[in-house]
Amino acid sequence: MAYTPQYYPGSTSVGINRRKHMSGNLEKLRDIPEADIVLTMGHRKPGQDYPSTHPPLKEMGEPDCPVRQVVEPTPGAAAGDRVRYSQFADSYYFSPSIPYWRSYWGSINCRGCDPGTLSGRQIIEARERDIESYTKKQVDSEMNDVALSSMRGCTVHGHSLRLEENGMMFDMLARTEMGKDGNVYQVKDQVGIPLDKKLNLGKPMSEAEAKKRTTIFRVDGVPIGGKTGARKYDEAVEALHHMWELRSKWGYRPE
Amino acid sequence: MAKMHTKKLFIKALNKKFGKDFDLAGTRTEYKRLGPEQSARKREYMETANRLAGKRGISFYNPYVHCGGIPLGQRQLVPYKLSGTEYVVEGDDLHFVNNPAMQQMWDDIRRTVIVGLDMAHEVLEKRLGKEVTPETINNYLEILNHAMPGAAVVQEHMCETNPGLVDDCNVRIFTGDDALADEIDDQYVIDINRLFPADQAEQLKASIGKTTWQAIHIPTIVSRTCDGGTASRWSAMQLCMTFIDAYNMCAGEAAVADLAYAAKHAALLQMADMLPARRARGPNSPGGLSFGFMADMVQTSRTKPQDPVAVSLNVVAAGSMLYDQIWLGSYMSGGVGFTQYATAAYTNDVLDDFSYYGVDYAVDKYGGFAKAPQTIEVAKEIATEATLYGMEQYETFPTLLEDHFGGSQRASVLAACSGISAAIATGNSQIGLAGWYLSMLLHKEGWGRLGFFGYDLQDQCGPTNVFSYQSDEGSPLELRGANYPNYAMNVGHQGEYAGISSAAHAGRMDAFATNPLIKVCFANPALVFDFADIRLCFGKGGAREFRAAGDRALVMPAV
């Protein structure tokens, strides 16, 4: 029997978008050149060989291991790439993705990756050529908006701050800037080192589009629990209550 | 349906922080990127560092080394209003290094032990044939208040401490026996009847019974030079010498060993347990301080018993400072981040607003404090309402979100208001804890983010320890502490757990949460820090109005 994962409850746009992110069935909105992704990540120069931490697996004479026979290595693991990262900050103000959903997306859709979830940033680590591929998927897709999301390796402060007057998420290191032509340009890499040239990331989403694509519940968008004085729980809350209650009761084990 | 209580207590603080003319609902602003010069405190630090540069002979404070010359202050650096007070101070003033009141709060805990008198009196009477009367006890206490600061008795030609350095040291006794208390010189008594409301005094005296205890506070300067483990050692020596002096005993006979054990160790209560070897701390270190003891040290329960939220929030403030800023932030880790986390719980009236909302909701629905059934259903209802209300405020007031810019801050505040509300509503700390964990999960579900990595373990796995009775993890919240298995690493939790412990008992109008001896001991009016109003004291410390003990200026050249 073919199994279709349900991923997430709820019939609101937020519930639907959360399911889309988890399924990996995402709309591609832009096509940022691979070289620009590599420059922004800042781990190697475009065209440079991938530094390795071990020889290609085929040359290593791996032990006779059933797990290794079942699990095909990712391209980066097969080649012996080092593990590198990309990390994103997403604004509270209707950014398309949010940290846990980037992690769920990574865990479900990206082989050989290690997501880490915080409040103001979300990191995915993987072998270098793998993480470059995963990063491009994120940057190109509806998971990202060039004003409300940005790649930030450090000094990520901004996700919860008011937006700049031009609608950009605050960035202490000003790694991106709004051009006079309405396009957003990447001017520093993810740890804030200036780039030799500005990279055109394209135009930001309109507010309406960001609200349509977002995965965050908000009282001024899709509320998770109605409003104060007029509560109406989203299906996600009902499911959560059920899970919390079982988890609490499970801890009481009188056997 | 329950009435809505949306007082928005935090708006006054937001106006003080961001200026009166900003748009409370505005989601966009101009970031002027004024750097550290926009803050009077940062300017002061730069000037101080420049002045000291020549003397030091090595580079020093320079905010422009940060991130390739881009210093902090790219956004507006805002001050902090101490919740429930009018004090507005810079964030830097709330780092414990810069705040002598915060230091003194911990000093006053660390330098305290409680030692029973009854067993020593029994040994004196039965083993040594001495008579113990109120008169001999008064004489003993006079000698003890000479000796405990570090002065000699019995011995000749001893090196003593300068009274000007140790004047914060004192020993008072307390008892549940009114007749005995009446016979003791007032200066040596912590008067339960005078310091506590009548109903609380009766509870405390009934719990303490006819036993008698010494509240011993060794000199601050001693505990700062040594450590918390010193409190019992320092006091033990002075206790024993005082007994020898007061009761004209032989200093060498074997029977004195019996007295020494009885007087020093047999009825000794440390403020905090010693920690296992992997944490390598002795007694009276914050890692061994239980949430229930922390709740009892704070005295708001006797000065504002009618306001259980205020009681709980003062415990939260004390606990956040001690557990987060000092214990996790310095003993266990280091650096500057912990202050930023912890201040969210006791500044800008945010947790106050959320907690009063949750408690008002519960009171409207269930008819009063501690009236709601102690069930998981009640935890679910109250924690959900309090959390959703709090999230809505962050969403409605962008500068509130900007103020609590880290998820750990928001998670702590939302979960704390949920836990405090559920605990006050039911009078049960475990129901409060259940509310805490539900809040964490709701927060994560709504916004797709929570705190830093550690919240994955502590809070998402946490519901399973609420009703557990397995050893190690099954303690009631009051008996858990900073070294409880899952609690040992996460900022933004332990002070709030202490607050929830306190909330349950404040809701029930209990005189104490865990231990009546702790509650009475910290009512001692001679303590340097005022444990009745934690946040006010922190504000005084930040405003440079607080005079701490342990100062060495008396024996140093003037600056």
Side-chain angles (χ1 to χ4, degrees):
Chain A
M1 184 183 76
Y3 170 67
T4 306
Q6 296 177 41
Y7 291 122
Y8 201 75
S11 55
T12 62
S13 62
V14 170
I16 292 166
N17 289 339
R18 287 183 174 194
R19 282 196 289 277
K20 278 170 73 179
H21 283 224
M22 295 166 90
S23 71
N25 185 22
L26 293 157
E27 190 178 340
K28 184 170 177 174
L29 300 183
R30 57 190 79 84
D31 189 6
I32 305 294
E34 285 179 21
D36 290 359
I37 302 279
V38 169
L39 281 169
T40 305
M41 292 175 74
H43 302 309
R44 69 181 182 103
K45 291 186 168 54
Q48 178 191 341
D49 285 346
Y50 288 100
S52 60
T53 54
H54 59 76
L57 291 179
K58 282 185 178 169
E59 297 173 15
M60 287 184 61
E62 290 209 275
D64 185 18
C65 165
V67 174
R68 290 171 201 236
Q69 288 163 13
V70 170
V71 180
E72 183 187 346
T74 65
D81 292 356
R82 45 182 197 171
V83 171
R84 301 311 295 139
Y85 67 90
S86 63
Q87 180 167 269
F88 287 86
D90 292 295
S91 171
Y92 254 92
Y93 295 103
F94 301 106
S95 68
S97 196
I98 43 180
Y100 270 103
W101 263 262
R102 284 192 189 269
S103 285
Y104 297 151
W105 170 82
S107 300
I108 295 167
N109 298 288
C110 302
R111 299 182 63 232
C113 80
D114 178 10
T117 324
L118 299 93
S119 61
R121 55 197 165 111
Q122 192 277 348
I123 189 170
I124 298 182
E125 297 185 61
R127 301 289 188 140
E128 191 157 1
R129 71 192 67 193
D130 302 334
I131 190 62
E132 286 178 1
S133 157
Y134 304 152
T135 303
K136 180 165 167 53
K137 283 182 183 171
Q138 291 182 78
V139 169
D140 284 353
S141 78
E142 62 177 316
M143 287 176 74
N144 244 53
D145 172 54
V146 294
L148 300 173
S149 322
S150 70
M151 209 191 302
R152 301 182 182 184
C154 65
T155 321
V156 301
H157 196 87
H159 77 281
S160 55
L161 270 58
R162 288 168 292 175
L163 302 174
E164 302 259 15
E165 288 176 312
N166 60 13
M168 301 272 285
M169 176 169 56
F170 173 82
D171 181 3
M172 176 178 171
L173 300 184
R175 277 160 279 219
T176 53
E177 62 185 34
M178 177 73 80
K180 288 179 182 169
D181 58 0
N183 289 311
V184 172
Y185 290 86
Q186 187 86 37
V187 296
K188 296 177 183 174
D189 72 9
Q190 64 173 333
V191 293
I193 298 172
L195 299 171
D196 292 336
K197 60 174 182 177
K198 294 181 177 183
L199 311 175
N200 188 348
L201 302 177
K203 289 189 166 48
M205 291 178 186
S206 66
E207 277 186 52
E209 188 178 3
K211 280 191 171 181
K212 187 183 84 178
R213 293 187 187 274
T214 193
T215 48
I216 191 169
F217 285 106
R218 283 182 59 97
V219 73
D220 47 355
V222 177
I224 195 171
K227 293 186 177 180
T228 298
R231 288 276 167 251
K232 184 172 182 294
Y233 295 161
D234 188 272
E235 198 178 329
V237 175
E238 307 284 357
L240 178 79
H241 279 159
H242 179 66
M243 190 180 70
W244 164 80
E245 188 167 333
L246 291 183
R247 201 177 285 182
S248 300
K249 288 177 177 172
W250 183 88
Y252 175 71
R253 294 186 301 165
E255 71 269 21
Chain B
M1 199 192 95
K3 282 185 287 184
M4 287 185 294
H5 297 265
T6 50
K7 300 184 180 80
K8 309 286 190 281
L9 296 173
F10 48 81
I11 285 179
K12 183 178 175 186
L14 290 178
N15 281 321
K16 287 196 172 187
K17 292 164 74 73
F18 290 93
K20 279 187 179 171
D21 300 327
F22 79 100
D23 175 9
L24 271 169
T27 59
R28 298 189 184 197
T29 190
E30 178 193 2
Y31 289 99
K32 295 181 178 166
R33 298 181 181 270
L34 299 174
E37 279 80 8
Q38 64 179 293
S39 158
R41 199 61 83 225
K42 306 289 185 198
R43 291 197 300 274
E44 177 191 337
Y45 292 173
M46 286 186 278
E47 287 164 15
T48 303
N50 287 337
R51 199 170 59 245
L52 294 171
K55 178 183 168 191
R56 281 168 49 84
I58 189 168
S59 67
F60 200 17
Y61 177 76
N62 174 10
Y64 291 94
V65 299
H66 179 73
C67 276
I70 301 177
L72 53 78
Q74 298 305 300
R75 56 171 282 198
Q76 189 178 352
L77 294 175
V78 290
Y80 293 76
K81 176 179 178 294
L82 273 295
S83 295
T85 81
E86 294 301 319
Y87 278 102
V88 177
V89 301
E90 297 285 332
D92 303 303
D93 300 328
L94 298 175
H95 193 294
F96 75 85
V97 167
N98 302 329
N99 191 308
M102 291 177 166
Q103 295 170 27
Q104 191 65 50
M105 191 196 95
W106 170 224
D107 289 336
D108 280 353
I109 295 171
R110 190 181 57 227
R111 69 193 182 98
T112 296
V113 286
I114 300 172
V115 181
L117 263 178
D118 304 306
M119 206 175 299
H121 287 164
E122 276 191 55
V123 172
L124 281 172
E125 291 182 326
K126 292 178 180 171
R127 179 74 177 83
L128 292 161
K130 303 289 184 184
E131 187 182 17
V132 178
T133 67
E135 289 73 25
T136 66
I137 296 173
N138 277 323
N139 180 47
Y140 162 85
L141 288 168
E142 183 179 2
I143 298 169
L144 188 58
N145 275 285
H146 157 79
M148 191 59 74
V153 288
V154 183
Q155 297 155 301
E156 207 265 334
H157 198 74
M158 289 288 107
C159 304
E160 301 181 310
T161 56
N162 184 329
L165 299 174
V166 293
D167 67 322
D168 59 313
C169 173
N170 65 86
V171 183
R172 285 179 166 80
I173 65 169
F174 56 92
T175 175
D177 182 347
D178 277 345
L180 174 61
D182 284 345
E183 297 284 344
I184 303 298
D185 190 335
D186 287 348
Q187 66 177 315
Y188 301 131
V189 178
I190 299 176
D191 187 344
I192 296 174
N193 294 321
R194 188 175 61 81
L195 290 166
F196 289 86
D199 58 329
Q200 292 188 6
E202 290 308 314
Q203 282 183 48
L204 289 163
K205 287 189 293 183
S207 301
I208 295 169
K210 291 193 180 294
T211 59
T212 308
W213 301 85
Q214 301 164 96
I216 300 174
H217 310 288
I218 72 165
T220 293
I221 199 168
V222 174
S223 69
R224 290 174 81 86
T225 308
C226 305
D227 63 9
T230 297
S232 66
R233 277 67 173 253
W234 178 278
S235 74
M237 178 57 75
Q238 305 310 88
L239 286 170
C240 204
M241 298 303 287
T242 300
F243 271 115
I244 290 169
D245 188 9
Y247 291 93
N248 303 311
M249 293 162 54
C250 169
E253 69 166 319
V256 173
D258 293 352
L259 175 76
Y261 180 75
K264 293 176 176 180
H265 308 298
L268 167 68
L269 179 62
Q270 304 270 13
M271 299 302 98
D273 295 331
M274 65 183 292
L275 294 176
R278 68 183 181 280
R279 305 234 185 267
R281 305 289 174 187
N284 276 17
S285 135
L289 177 58
S290 70
F291 303 137
F293 274 25
M294 183 82 255
D296 282 330
M297 287 167 184
V298 176
Q299 298 288 310
T300 320
S301 56
R302 68 178 167 84
T303 57
K304 293 183 180 172
Q306 75 287 357
D307 189 349
V309 175
V311 174
S312 312
L313 295 178
N314 271 285
V315 176
V316 169
S320 298
M321 194 286 294
L322 182 57
Y323 291 125
D324 289 344
Q325 296 178 221
I326 292 184
W327 171 244
L328 292 174
S330 286
Y331 279 82
M332 298 286 280
S333 178
V336 296
F338 291 78
T339 304
Q340 194 69 57
Y341 279 119
T343 54
Y346 60 83
T347 58
N348 304 327
D349 300 309
V350 182
L351 180 55
D352 296 47
D353 182 76
F354 295 3
S355 299
Y356 280 112
Y357 174 83
V359 171
D360 286 350
Y361 175 88
V363 166
D364 285 345
K365 176 141 189 186
Y366 295 104
F369 306 135
K371 300 284 191 199
Q374 299 176 350
T375 64
I376 202 166
E377 281 303 316
V378 168
K380 184 195 296 182
E381 185 198 355
I382 294 175
T384 302
E385 182 60 38
T387 302
L388 293 178
Y389 168 78
M391 290 172 73
E392 192 176 319
Q393 306 319 302
Y394 284 121
E395 291 162 346
T396 308
F397 298 96
T399 43
L400 184 63
L401 186 68
E402 189 166 312
D403 193 48
H404 288 184
F405 58 79
S408 302
Q409 297 171 311
R410 300 186 292 268
S412 298
V413 167
L414 290 169
C417 77
S418 302
I420 286 170
S421 301
I424 290 176
T426 59
N428 186 305
S429 61
Q430 254 24 50
I431 297 298
L433 189 62
W436 166 282
Y437 286 125
L438 175 57
S439 174
M440 288 288 184
L441 297 179
L442 276 166
H443 175 169
K444 178 205 157 200
E445 206 61 36
W447 290 338
R449 43 167 56 102
L450 194 59
F452 69 101
F453 279 128
Y455 284 60
D456 287 8
L457 166 69
Q458 183 161 340
D459 296 301
Q460 296 185 45
C461 303
T464 49
N465 70 45
V466 174
F467 302 113
S468 169
Y469 62 88
Q470 297 188 99
S471 66
D472 226 27
E473 71 175 29
S475 294
L477 187 59
E478 290 88 332
L479 301 185
R480 300 181 189 187
N483 203 43
Y484 176 85
N486 270 4
Y487 297 173
M489 78 297 282
N490 247 354
V491 69
H493 289 70
Q494 296 168 359
E496 288 79 356
Y497 291 149
I500 294 170
S501 299
S502 167
H505 298 279
R508 294 158 54 97
M509 304 290 160
D510 291 340
F512 61 94
T514 305
N515 190 316
L517 305 180
I518 299 280
K519 183 58 79 180
V520 176
C521 173
F522 281 83
N524 183 355
L527 281 169
V528 182
F529 185 82
D530 180 5
F531 284 83
D533 202 335
I534 305 292
R535 303 185 298 187
L536 188 78
C537 261
F538 289 172
K540 287 180 181 174
R544 302 180 179 179
E545 295 173 3
F546 184 87
R547 191 88 206 158
D551 186 8
R552 295 172 289 183
L554 184 65
V555 288
M556 293 190 295
V559 177

